[in-house]
């Protein structure tokens, strides 16, 4: 990612408020520093002794909070299980994965890479280089 793309990704992960798990009741929408509206959902765990599950939905996907409520001097941190990256097309996904160099070259030579950069929907079963 170039610096501007990286900034956009990081701003998608920051809310301009302090929000603890106890502040989250049911589902609510929040605006990130990057201007995107995300949904945060609290789901009570089946086992009463277990903490609630918190999910964050962005235009770039769904994440689960795996470590909540880490207090900092200027806010709070929740560790999540994924990065909210921009949705990429199949051509970009293949090009960014070092395990798919042979497939990337084959798609270029055949001209199919251009098809996979267009609006789909598509499903690609991508063989790794060792296949």
């Amino acid at each position: 990612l170039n610096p501007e793309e990286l900034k956009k990704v990081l701003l998608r992960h920051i809310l301009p408020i302090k929000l603890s798990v106890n502040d989250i009741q049911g589902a609510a929408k929040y605006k990130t520093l990057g201007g995107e509206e995300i949904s945060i959902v609290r789901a009570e765990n089946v086992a009463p002794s277990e903490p609630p599950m918190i999910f964050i939905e962005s235009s770039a996907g769904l994440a689960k909070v795996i470590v909540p409520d880490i207090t900092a001097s200027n806010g709070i941190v929740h560790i999540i299980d994924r990065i909210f990256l921009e949705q990429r097309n199949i051509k970009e996904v293949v090009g960014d994965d070092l395990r798919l160099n042979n497939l990337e070259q084959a798609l270029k030579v055949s001209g199919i890479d251009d098809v996979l950069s267009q609006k789909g929907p598509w499903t690609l079963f991508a063989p790794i280089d060792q296949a």
Side-chain angles (χ1 to χ4, degrees), residues 1 22 34 36 38 41 48 51 53 58 61 63 76 84 96 104 106 127:
L1 297 173
N22 289 332
E36 178 182 345
I38 62 170
V41 178
M53 294 178 290
S58 158
I76 197 160
F84 291 131
D96 290 345
E104 179 183 21

Side-chain angles (χ1 to χ4, degrees), residues 45-100:
N45 209 312
V46 176
S49 61
E50 294 292 319
M53 294 178 290
I54 306 295
F55 298 95
I56 302 106
E57 185 174 9
S58 158
S59 65
L62 181 69
K64 180 181 179 185
V65 173
I66 56 175
V67 180
D69 290 347
I70 301 170
T71 303
S73 64
N74 59 347
I76 197 160
V77 177
H78 303 287
I79 298 177
I80 60 175
D81 65 354
R82 66 166 289 153
I83 299 171
F84 291 131
L85 291 173
E86 284 290 323
Q87 293 290 348
R88 300 173 294 155
N89 64 47
I90 291 176
K91 179 181 176 181
E92 293 166 332
V93 169
V94 170
D96 290 345
D97 194 316
L98 297 177
R99 299 168 298 176
L100 303 176

Side-chain angles (χ1 to χ4, degrees), residues 6-18 30-36 38 40 56 74 76 80 84:
L6 180 60
K7 180 178 179 180
K8 189 174 179 182
V9 168
L10 293 173
L11 290 175
R12 177 180 282 133
H13 291 77
I14 303 170
L15 295 178
I17 60 170
K18 182 178 179 182
Y30 298 90
K31 191 165 280 219
T32 67
L33 278 182
E36 178 182 345
I38 62 170
I40 300 179
I56 302 106
N74 59 347
I76 197 160
I80 60 175
F84 291 131

